[in-house]
Amino acid sequence: MENRKERKITARNLDDREFFYGHKGCPGCGGSLAVRLALKVLGEKSFAVLPAGCMSAIGFVFPQMAFSCNAMISTFAGTASMLAGVAAGARALGLEGIHAVGFAGDGGTADIGLQALSGAIDRHDRIIYICYDNEAYMNTGVQKSSLTPTGARTTTSPVGNRLRGAVTPKKQMFEIVAAHGIDYAATASVGHPLDYLRKVEHASRVEGTSYIHVFAPCPVGWGHDSAETIEVAKAAVDCGLLYLAEYTGGGFILNHDPGEFSSIRDYLLGQGRFRHLGEEEIEAIVAQRDSRWQRIRREWRT
Amino acid sequence: MAGMNMFLSGNEAVAAAVRLARPQVIAAYPITPQTTVIERLAEMVEDGSLASEYLHVESEHSALSACIGASAVGARTFTASSSQGLLYMAECMHYASGGRFPIVMMNANRSVALPWNIYGDQRDSLSLLDSGWIQAYAEDAQEAFDMLIQAFAVAEHPLVLTPAMVNLDGFALTHTYELVNVPDPSDVDAFLPRFTTANRMDPEHPVSLGFTAGPQHNQAFKQLQHLAMLASGQVIREAEERFGQRFGRSYPGLVETYRCEDAERVIVTLGSVAGTVRPVVDRLRSTGERVGLLRIRYMRPFPDGELRAALAGATSVGVLEKDISFGYEGTVFTNVNSAFARSGASPRNLLNFIGGLGGKDITPTDIENLFARLAAPEGLETVTFI
Ligand SMILES: Cc1ncc(C[n+]2csc(CCOP(=O)(O)OP(=O)(O)O)c2C)c(N)n1
Ligand code: SF4
C-alpha cells in the first residue's frame, strides 16, 4: 500500500507532471482545469473514467490521447457503474494503491447518470466521483440540465416573451448524495484550487465512495471572457450562490462563510447567460440565496 | 466421464458453469426467468465456493457497464439478463463489443413488452444481433453448461476478444430440470486458464481505452471487429474439439444436423424447440419420409457455409423461429435466405414459420403440419404464423 497519510497540498509541492495535457479544451475551460488538478493529486495510478461530455470529447480523439494515466470513456449514464467495475476488477486482481476516479459533467451526473451514482454510493464502492459543474450540457451545445440555475439562458431554455431562461431551480446534488449517507462528499470551485486539492486528497484516502462537486465555469456557454474563469468561479462563492462545504462522518461542515456577500447582481450580469434578467428576477435569486444560507448557518458546523 | 452428475435446471447449470469458470467480477440485476442464475451465484459467493466480486447494481445498464469497467482492467466478468433487461443493456452491448471486452452473458430468452409477457421467445436477443456479440443458442441444460464454459474460452481468445451471449429459452430451458454432468474444477481450470489480455488499463503501462475515433479511423476499428467475429467460427470449432477431448462431450460446430444427409425437407430452427422437432423427424422417417432438422447453434458468427453444405440436397426448407421483424420476416429467415443467396443456389422452396411468440406452445402436431406444408408449398405465403 502506498503512503496513505494525508498530505497538505500547496502550490510548491503540487506534482509537476501533467496527466491531462494537450487536449482540445477551449481557452479558459474550468472543467479541464478540474480534471488536470485532481489528477496531479491522484497521480499515475489513477484509472480515470469519463462519460460522454466535454472532457471526453476533448481528451480522447484517436490517435491524440490527452491522458497519461489510464483512462477510458464510459457511456453517458455509466460513469459510476463503470468506476464500480474498475474498482471491483482492480480489487479482484490485487492491484494496490490505485484510484478509480470519474469526471462527469452536470448532465452526466444529476440527470442521466444519477441512478448509477446512487447505486455506487449505496454499495460504498471505493471510487472518487468528481462532477465538474458547468451548469449545462456543453458538449452538445449548451442545453439545460437539472443543474442549470434558474434564469440561465441555454439553447433549450431560451429567452423570449414567454420564457426567461431556465425556470427550474438547480438540483442540490451535494445534499442529494449526502442524503445517501455517502462516505465523503464535498463542494469546491476551480476558483479555490487549494481547497479543491485538499478535498481530492482527502477523497483519495476514503475507504468508500467520495463525491466532489466542483464548480467549473465554461466561458463558451456562460458568455464571459476566457480570462475570467477563475474570477467567475471565485465570485460565485463570494456572492453566496455557491458554498464550499463537506459532508463527512454523517455531518455537514461549512468550510468558508463569506460573511458579507458580494453582489449577486454583478455576478449574474457579468455573464451573457444572465444578462436578460431584470431586477425582480435578481431579487428572487437573492431571496433564495438568503434562505439557503439561513439554513446552512443554522444547521451546518463550521 | 469424470465429475459429478447433478439434477439441475438450465439456470442452475449456468450458475454451476460460471462457478467453474471463476469470473473475477459478476454484476447482474434480476429479471424473470434469469433470476435463479444470479441467486445461485450470490449463494456461491456467500458460501465461499466462488471467489468473485459480486456487484449489486441498480440496473442492467449498470450491470454491463460495471462488467466493461472490470474487463477494462483485465478481469474475467459475467452477467446475465433477459428481455427488457437485455434491451436496457443495449447501449452497453455495442460498447462492450466495440471496446473488445470479452464479457460473457447468459440471456434467458423472453418476449418483449408490449404486451407484457414473461415467457419465452427470441425477440430479445435477435433484435440485438447486430450489437457485435457472439450469440449461442442452447438446446438443453448440458449444452448450456458446456457452451458457457466454451464461451469464455472463445470470447477471450486473442484472435476474437469479443463478448459472448449464451441464450437459453425462458422456462422451457431455464426452469426445466435435467441430469447435467458437472466436471471437476481442475479439469475446467486446465481447459480455461486465467484470463490475460493486453487490452486493459495497466498501472505500469497506462493506456486510453474506449476513445473517440473520427471518420478517418472509425471504420478501420469496425472492420477489425468484423474480422474478429468471422475468426471466432474457427475458434469455436477448436474450443469444441479441445472440450471434447478433455470432457468427452463433442459438439458439431455452429450448426447441428439431424438426419439431413438425404433429406428433401428440412426444418431449420434454434434453441429448445429442436427437441420437439427431432422425434417428429424420427416418426416421419420411420414412414419413409425424407425429412431432417438443422439446428443453428450460433447466430453470430453466422454459419452460412455449414448451412449451405448441409442443405445442398434439400428441395424445401422451412425456417421456424420465435421472432418477427414486423412487416417483413423473421430475422433467422433473413440470415438463412442470405446464406443461400450468396451462393446463388437456394432450395426450390424456402419458407418462414413464425411461432412460439410470448411462449405460445409449439407442439409435435404443429411440426408435422410444417413438414406437410413443406411437401406441398405451392401457393403458400413465404411467412406464416403458426
Ligand atoms: C445516452 C446518450 N444520450 C445523449 C448523448 C449526447 N450527449 C453527449 S455529451 C452530452 C452533454 C454532456 O453534458 P454534461 O454531462 O453536462 O457535460 P459537459 O458536456 O457539459 O462537459 C450529451 C447530451 C449521449 N452521448 N448518450
Ligand atoms: S465548451 Fe465549455 S466545458 Fe466544453 S471544453 Fe469548452 S469551455 Fe470547456
Side-chain angles (χ1 to χ4, degrees):
Chain A
M1 227 40 180
E2 65 171 6
N3 180 12
R4 284 247 184 261
K5 245 183 76 196
E6 192 153 355
R7 292 176 295 157
K8 184 169 164 44
I9 308 232
T10 64
R12 271 177 210 282
N13 67 13
L14 191 60
D15 202 330
D16 282 338
R17 291 173 301 170
E18 298 292 347
F19 297 99
F20 186 48
Y21 194 71
H23 56 73
K24 298 172 190 282
C26 318
C29 171
S32 62
L33 190 57
V35 176
R36 175 172 167 236
L37 288 176
L39 289 176
K40 279 175 174 282
V41 175
L42 300 174
E44 71 273 17
K45 289 213 166 170
S46 302
F47 288 75
V49 170
L50 298 94
C54 270
M55 292 311 114
S56 62
I58 67 176
F60 289 88
V61 184
F62 182 84
Q64 186 187 342
M65 301 298 166
F67 286 94
S68 53
C69 57
N70 284 292
M72 74 185 289
I73 307 186
S74 73
T75 58
F76 196 18
T79 315
S81 49
M82 191 172 282
L83 279 172
V86 166
R91 201 162 51 235
L93 295 172
L95 301 180
E96 290 197 345
I98 68 116
H99 298 297
V101 56
F103 297 98
D106 45 287
T109 299
D111 292 338
I112 197 168
L114 185 56
Q115 175 177 310
L117 174 60
S118 176
I121 300 171
D122 171 52
R123 292 186 300 271
H124 296 269
D125 288 331
R126 195 176 186 290
I127 63 171
I128 303 168
Y129 189 110
I130 298 180
C131 169
Y132 63 93
D133 183 5
N134 54 28
E135 302 199 317
Y137 293 103
M138 292 311 175
N139 186 47
T140 36
V142 200
Q143 292 86 23
K144 184 201 153 342
S145 81
S146 61
L147 295 190
T148 300
T150 319
R153 174 204 297 267
T154 70
T155 53
T156 53
S157 57
V159 176
N161 293 334
R162 300 180 53 222
L163 273 183
R164 307 281 299 157
V167 294
T168 49
K170 188 178 170 82
K171 258 189 206 173
Q172 297 301 305
M173 267 308 295
F174 173 63
E175 293 180 55
I176 289 170
V177 299
H180 284 68
I182 192 170
D183 300 293
Y184 177 66
T187 62
S189 163
V190 295
H192 291 73
L194 290 181
D195 174 74
Y196 172 53
L197 292 169
R198 177 181 70 75
K199 288 166 175 172
V200 175
E201 162 67 15
H202 183 81
S204 75
R205 294 176 306 100
V206 170
E207 293 293 337
T209 310
S210 300
Y211 174 87
I212 299 177
H213 194 99
V214 56
F215 190 74
C218 163
V220 177
W222 294 12
H224 61 75
D225 195 275
S226 60
E228 288 171 359
T229 297
I230 300 301
E231 290 315 311
V232 170
K234 279 186 176 154
V237 174
D238 293 341
C239 76
L241 283 180
L242 174 69
Y243 49 77
L244 299 179
E246 285 169 292
Y247 174 87
T248 176
F252 290 98
I253 302 167
L254 180 65
N255 301 126
H256 171 76
D257 189 335
E260 188 99 346
F261 295 120
S262 63
S263 157
I264 278 194
R265 193 170 180 281
D266 290 352
Y267 170 79
L268 295 173
L269 298 186
Q271 299 169 43
R273 61 178 175 156
F274 292 121
R275 216 154 276 153
H276 58 279
L277 294 181
E279 289 308 323
E280 235 175 78
E281 291 160 310
I282 293 175
E283 280 316 309
I285 294 170
V286 169
Q288 261 175 24
R289 174 202 62 192
D290 291 346
S291 77
R292 172 163 307 129
W293 273 90
Q294 258 181 15
R295 184 170 61 82
I296 288 175
R297 285 172 172 150
R298 194 173 59 236
E299 294 174 5
W300 296 6
R301 284 184 286 141
T302 50
Chain B
M1 205 183 300
M4 243 197 318
N5 290 331
M6 300 169 77
F7 199 55
L8 300 177
S9 70
N11 277 350
E12 290 170 351
V14 167
V18 171
R19 166 157 53 188
L20 292 173
R22 303 182 196 273
Q24 285 133 330
V25 176
I26 295 170
Y29 191 82
I31 179 168
T32 305
Q34 154 266 38
T35 29
T36 50
V37 176
I38 65 165
E39 288 170 357
R40 291 299 88 79
L41 291 173
E43 289 163 10
M44 293 169 185
V45 171
E46 188 282 323
D47 70 21
S49 63
L50 172 57
S52 289
E53 296 283 337
Y54 188 108
L55 291 174
H56 297 90
V57 284
E58 83 304 326
S59 73
E60 290 86 354
H61 191 284
S62 284
L64 193 46
S65 172
C67 286
I68 294 169
S71 189
V73 296
R76 177 173 290 162
T77 56
F78 176 79
T79 187
S81 194
S82 176
S83 180
Q84 313 298 124
L86 188 74
L87 298 188
Y88 202 36
M89 282 182 178
E91 179 189 26
C92 296
M93 290 184 62
H94 286 263
Y95 216 91
S97 62
R100 310 296 295 276
F101 299 118
I103 298 158
V104 172
M105 154 156 47
M106 172 269 189
N107 180 54
N109 279 125
R110 163 181 152 178
S111 187
V112 172
L114 283 172
W116 280 96
N117 179 299
I118 59 167
Y119 298 100
D121 68 36
Q122 291 157 344
R123 288 176 47 232
D124 54 359
S125 56
L126 288 173
S127 72
L128 286 160
L129 193 57
D130 294 340
S131 64
W133 285 57
I134 292 169
Q135 281 201 3
Y137 289 81
E139 181 182 341
D140 57 37
Q142 183 72 61
E143 188 183 31
F145 180 99
D146 294 345
M147 267 179 168
L148 211 112
I149 290 186
Q150 292 164 17
F152 282 102
V154 172
E156 294 170 1
H157 192 285
L159 291 176
V160 179
L161 283 183
T162 293
M165 180 199 299
V166 176
N167 289 281
L168 281 75
D169 282 308
F171 294 108
L173 192 41
T174 58
H175 285 62
T176 302
Y177 279 77
E178 294 171 46
L179 210 53
V180 176
N181 175 259
V182 178
D184 292 332
S186 57
D187 279 335
V188 178
D189 287 344
F191 175 80
L192 185 66
R194 207 186 146 102
F195 173 45
T196 56
T197 178
N199 183 41
R200 70 185 162 102
M201 297 193 286
D202 178 350
E204 307 306 323
H205 306 283
V207 290
S208 286
L209 292 181
F211 39 74
T212 297
Q216 206 187 341
H217 298 104
N218 197 284
Q219 184 165 305
F221 286 110
K222 293 292 127 188
Q223 202 172 348
L224 287 172
Q225 218 180 314
H226 176 64
L227 293 174
M229 179 67 90
L230 286 177
S232 70
Q234 184 56 27
V235 175
I236 290 167
R237 283 182 282 269
E238 284 164 14
E240 289 181 353
E241 174 98 27
R242 269 201 309 125
F243 190 91
Q245 282 160 6
R246 183 169 292 277
F247 301 106
R249 279 190 296 279
S250 49
Y251 287 97
L254 307 186
V255 302
E256 182 207 2
T257 54
Y258 185 70
R259 306 188 84 164
C260 282
E261 298 71 36
D262 60 343
E264 291 167 348
R265 285 170 284 148
V266 176
I267 286 184
V268 174
T269 193
L270 65 173
S272 60
V273 75
T276 310
V277 180
R278 210 175 276 108
V280 176
V281 168
D282 287 340
R283 195 154 60 241
L284 296 177
R285 279 275 176 181
S286 69
T287 63
E289 297 193 41
R290 283 161 59 183
V291 296
L293 159 71
L294 185 146
R295 180 169 67 91
I296 295 177
R297 299 180 66 241
Y298 285 82
M299 276 299 290
R300 285 292 179 274
F302 192 70
D304 64 322
E306 290 88 333
L307 214 115
R308 278 195 301 271
L311 300 178
T315 47
S316 296
V317 171
V319 177
L320 169 61
E321 63 185 295
K322 301 176 180 178
D323 169 67
I324 176 71
S325 177
F326 299 107
Y328 199 44
E329 59 193 18
T331 297
V332 182
F333 181 80
T334 303
N335 280 264
V336 171
N337 196 12
S338 123
F340 287 123
R342 282 176 169 210
S343 72
S346 295
R348 196 172 335 129
N349 308 298
L350 189 55
L351 298 178
N352 189 194
F353 304 122
I354 310 293
L357 298 187
K360 186 171 191 278
D361 210 13
I362 299 177
T363 65
T365 314
D366 291 329
I367 304 295
E368 275 174 30
N369 288 339
L370 298 188
F371 276 121
R373 283 197 224 177
L374 287 174
E378 291 75 22
L380 289 181
E381 300 278 347
T382 303
V383 181
T384 46
F385 281 67
I386 66 161

